[in-house]
Amino acid sequence: MQEIIIVKPEKCIGCNACIRVCPADEANKTVEYEKGMFVTSVNTSKCIACGECLKVCTHGARDYIDDTNECMSKIVSEKVIILVSPVLKIAYPTKWKGILEWFHHQGCFIYDVSYGADICTWATARTTEQGKLNKMISQQCPAVVNYIETYQPKLLSHLSPIHSPAACEAIYIKKYQRRSNLIAYLTPCIASKAENFETGLIDYTVTFGKLMKFFEQNGIDIPLNAPDDNKFTYDDEEGIFGILYNRPGGMRENIWTLEPDLNIAYSSGINNAYPEIAGYSKLSDAKRPDFYDVLSCNFGCTLSAGTGVNLSHFEVRNNMEPHENNIRTRSKGGLRRGDDKLFKKFDNELRLADFLRNYKSSMPSMTPSAQQLEPIYQKMNKTTADERCIDCHACGYSSCREMATAILRGLNVPTNCIYNRSGSSSVSEEEFNNIKSELNDIRTECTSIIESMNSNIADISTSAGKIDESGDSSNAKLEGVKTLLQNVVLFCNENSTMDSDSIAQLVNILETTISALGELDESINKTSESSAELNKKLSGLKDTMQNLEKTVKEEKAETEE
């Protein structure tokens, strides 16, 4: 696929948000360009141009390319045909008429893509009636088409063979109106550029967002219109139900006007559409719906990455309402199978074969075996089964296996794993092993010292027994100290190897023990003179514990550095 999404490396902070939202496993490539600094670029051949990464990148590191500037340079000298997505009315409810009038003033011809959507509905229904294709997946979303071509090519036989609404409109203009003008598509969808390049039917992709920036940069003021003003004179017929294509289940509603008995399912949004496409691919035809209507963007095309506005679902519904009411008025409540004039007109004037599309497929990457991933896990410092299924998602992938797979494919690096980042990016494997050895030496030293204290503990207990009744509280504290010291021994015995986390735990235990020793020492000082010998032994024990704590803290500090 041609380049659409671009990256500005100087603005990328390596947060992995783009990877996290991307539904295409191989669309991103992360490199470590400086020690501890990561940049994620776009793997153009595997990107589906859904635009989700553009929505989540808050650092301005990602942008996209369309043909706005090139198109604007042509409309002055040539009468360009402008195909208008009906989403313009929803995204810019008070400016859409002014925008179209501006193009009219430049000498452009304005065509409604909703009419192409009506053609698409007709062609899809007639294909189904003729039994030419069963269990069909919709094709109106270019990002979904890109995904199936790239990642699910075995589903191409189920992808609707009819062109998208915009392409159907372009074919109608070229073949039935015999116009040879350059054609530009005014759209909210950045993936349309890929479709237009692949089909060759449309010359320029002009997104709403880039067009509004062009107006701003060139001081072009667009007049406002009333939100409920639906009247505009196109240079050809205006569509009817086609405006619904842009919202979830919209194509389903269109097809039901001709084929009300079809079992039609729908999905929208990256969190639903792509996992459900993957699930669809595993079903038998008997379990698949007759038609599957899929849109990549959440709540449909109105929230596409190229709209240039950020609307809530409530605003979209509110902006859509007057246009849906207009549909009901124009269609007198709805189209009826067998007696609608529009589709009878299509039957009489159009050839179904003119609106058929071919798709290209890609060879999907093979899923790596456990044996192939083994050296990758070693580089990630993941040597145990538990370490290989931490699945913290910090890298952007949903599992450690996906991250390892990306590294194997050359799309990521081991140091971008947060589990491995602090170690591998700052110290070599040899240095890491040396630190690990030193930590284990600390464990051995702790065990030896604590075990040598056992006899001292026994002596302290005997001496404490000689203290008069005023030392009862001291005996209680002594039992607490004995428990803490036993905890140190137990902790060291249970940790066969020591890492930074276990060292931190040991420091905490030692600090608690030393504090308890201080309290016991103070308590014993208040008892009879028979405690002199006990004080001496306690003082020695406390000094030993403090020295041990100092050693552990110093080693911990060196490890963290």
Side-chain angles (χ1 to χ4, degrees):
M1 189 179 74
Q2 64 176 163
E3 185 179 45
I4 295 177
I5 297 177
I6 58 174
V7 174
K8 302 172 183 177
E10 70 279 6
K11 293 188 176 183
C12 180
I13 67 167
C15 66
N16 299 322
C18 50
I19 298 176
R20 191 170 294 110
V21 298
C22 182
D25 294 342
E26 301 174 58
N28 295 281
K29 183 175 182 178
T30 301
V31 297
E32 186 176 11
Y33 76 99
E34 190 177 313
K35 194 171 185 179
M37 300 295 290
F38 301 85
V39 169
T40 301
S41 60
V42 178
N43 184 17
T44 302
S45 64
K46 296 292 185 178
C47 175
I48 63 173
C50 68
E52 290 299 317
C53 60
L54 296 168
K55 299 176 187 178
V56 300
C57 182
T58 58
H59 313 290
R62 294 210 167 195
D63 199 355
Y64 67 93
I65 300 171
D66 72 356
D67 307 314
T68 297
N69 290 333
E70 186 178 355
C71 178
M72 294 302 108
S73 69
K74 294 290 185 182
I75 63 172
V76 175
S77 58
E78 301 186 38
K79 292 185 176 182
V80 177
I81 292 174
I82 305 295
L83 306 186
V84 184
S85 165
V87 174
L88 185 67
K89 300 176 180 179
I90 316 303
Y92 295 91
T94 62
K95 284 190 174 183
W96 70 272
K97 292 184 69 174
I99 292 171
L100 299 187
E101 288 293 349
W102 182 85
F103 279 108
H104 254 162
H105 292 325
Q106 311 309 311
C108 298
F109 299 101
I110 313 297
Y111 282 77
D112 181 19
V113 170
S114 292
Y115 192 71
D118 289 335
I119 294 174
C120 182
T121 299
W122 163 81
T124 302
R126 295 296 180 257
T127 300
T128 302
E129 289 171 356
Q130 296 172 13
K132 292 182 178 180
L133 185 65
N134 191 28
K135 309 300 182 182
M136 195 182 298
I137 302 174
S138 68
Q139 86 301 14
Q140 81 273 28
C141 178
V144 169
V145 172
N146 292 340
Y147 179 79
I148 292 176
E149 286 183 326
T150 306
Y151 295 96
Q152 295 285 352
K154 65 180 180 181
L155 292 179
L156 286 175
S157 60
H158 292 279
L159 194 57
S160 172
I162 311 302
H163 274 287
S164 70
C168 284
E169 182 70 13
I171 293 169
Y172 175 76
I173 291 169
K174 291 173 180 285
K175 291 203 170 193
Y176 294 90
Q177 295 202 335
R178 301 186 183 282
R179 288 184 176 273
S180 58
N181 308 60
L182 293 171
I183 298 178
Y185 180 26
L186 185 53
T187 174
C189 178
I190 68 172
S192 293
K193 183 173 174 65
E195 177 188 291
N196 296 338
F197 178 79
E198 187 174 330
T199 64
L201 293 168
I202 295 174
D203 302 289
Y204 306 117
T205 303
V206 179
T207 60
F208 301 165
K210 296 293 185 182
L211 177 63
M212 298 308 287
K213 285 185 178 180
F214 173 84
F215 288 155
E216 181 182 353
Q217 291 169 355
N218 290 274
I220 299 173
D221 186 32
I222 301 298
L224 301 180
N225 57 265
D228 57 351
D229 186 354
N230 296 309
K231 295 180 181 179
F232 182 82
T233 304
Y234 292 91
D235 288 291
D236 195 59
E237 294 192 57
E238 184 178 357
I240 301 180
F241 266 47
I243 192 174
L244 300 179
Y245 262 61
N246 301 288
R247 64 173 174 80
M251 189 174 185
R252 177 181 69 168
E253 293 184 41
N254 273 264
I255 295 175
W256 271 343
T257 62
L258 290 178
E259 296 288 341
D261 298 326
L262 285 181
N263 174 18
I264 304 179
Y266 74 91
S267 297
S268 69
I270 59 166
N271 294 326
N272 296 319
Y274 297 102
E276 288 170 10
I277 290 174
Y280 180 97
S281 69
K282 299 174 183 177
L283 296 175
S284 63
D285 274 354
K287 295 182 179 180
R288 289 169 175 164
D290 297 321
F291 193 87
Y292 183 26
D293 179 12
V294 196
L295 293 175
S296 179
C297 292
N298 191 29
F299 209 73
C301 308
T302 310
L303 301 182
S304 295
T307 57
V309 292
N310 185 22
L311 301 178
S312 69
H313 292 181
F314 302 103
E315 291 173 304
V316 171
R317 290 189 181 97
N318 184 64
N319 295 348
M320 185 76 182
E321 185 176 6
H323 303 289
E324 290 190 357
N325 291 336
N326 183 47
I327 290 172
R328 296 186 187 98
T329 301
R330 293 178 58 206
S331 62
K332 296 180 180 180
L335 297 171
R336 294 178 177 83
R337 184 179 183 182
D339 64 355
D340 57 278
K341 294 180 181 180
L342 180 62
F343 295 126
K344 283 184 177 181
K345 174 188 175 182
F346 291 159
D347 284 334
N348 294 331
E349 297 181 1
L350 306 181
R351 293 177 62 250
L352 181 61
D354 289 336
F355 299 92
L356 299 181
R357 176 182 177 179
N358 294 318
Y359 299 100
K360 62 178 181 63
S361 64
S362 300
M363 180 64 70
S365 301
M366 298 296 292
T367 301
S369 64
Q371 184 178 4
Q372 289 173 312
L373 292 179
E374 182 60 33
I376 303 300
Y377 282 129
Q378 294 297 329
K379 291 180 180 179
M380 296 169 70
N381 193 37
K382 291 180 177 287
T383 58
T384 68
D386 287 343
E387 290 171 337
R388 296 176 184 185
C389 61
I390 292 175
D391 301 344
C392 68
H393 303 186
C395 59
Y397 299 97
S398 61
S399 68
C400 295
R401 181 182 177 85
E402 286 187 12
M403 173 61 162
T405 300
I407 295 171
L408 180 66
R409 291 171 176 167
L411 300 175
N412 221 304
V413 290
T415 47
N416 196 30
C417 170
I418 197 168
Y419 181 82
N420 192 40
R421 186 178 292 183
S422 61
S424 297
S425 63
S426 59
V427 298
S428 66
E429 185 175 354
E430 181 180 358
E431 290 173 324
F432 182 81
N433 289 333
N434 289 338
I435 292 172
K436 204 169 184 179
S437 177
E438 290 174 4
L439 293 175
N440 287 330
D441 289 342
I442 294 175
R443 170 195 163 269
T444 302
E445 182 181 355
C446 288
T447 303
S448 176
I449 292 173
I450 297 302
E451 286 178 349
S452 70
M453 290 180 183
N454 284 337
S455 59
N456 287 339
I457 293 174
D459 291 342
I460 291 171
S461 181
T462 301
S463 298
K466 299 177 182 178
I467 300 174
D468 59 24
E469 293 181 359
S470 62
D472 287 343
S473 62
S474 300
N475 287 330
K477 288 183 171 59
L478 177 61
E479 289 301 319
V481 171
K482 288 172 65 177
T483 300
L484 288 169
L485 291 170
Q486 288 167 356
N487 286 340
V488 177
V489 176
L490 179 63
F491 178 85
C492 291
N493 287 336
E494 288 183 347
N495 286 271
S496 58
T497 60
M498 301 288 281
D499 56 20
S500 58
D501 287 338
S502 57
I503 285 294
Q505 294 176 49
L506 179 56
V507 168
N508 185 55
I509 293 172
L510 291 173
E511 288 176 344
T512 303
T513 305
I514 292 168
S515 176
L517 282 170
E519 290 180 9
L520 179 59
D521 190 22
E522 183 179 352
S523 176
I524 290 175
N525 281 333
K526 296 177 182 179
T527 64
S528 65
E529 295 179 357
S530 61
S531 63
E533 184 179 355
L534 177 58
N535 284 335
K536 183 178 179 182
K537 292 184 177 181
L538 276 173
S539 179
L541 178 56
K542 187 176 179 181
D543 289 343
T544 303
M545 294 297 287
Q546 287 175 333
N547 289 335
L548 176 59
E549 181 200 23
K550 181 181 178 182
T551 301
V552 171
K553 282 186 174 181
E554 288 175 350
E555 291 294 343
K556 180 176 183 290
E558 290 180 7
T559 302
E560 289 174 345
E561 290 174 359

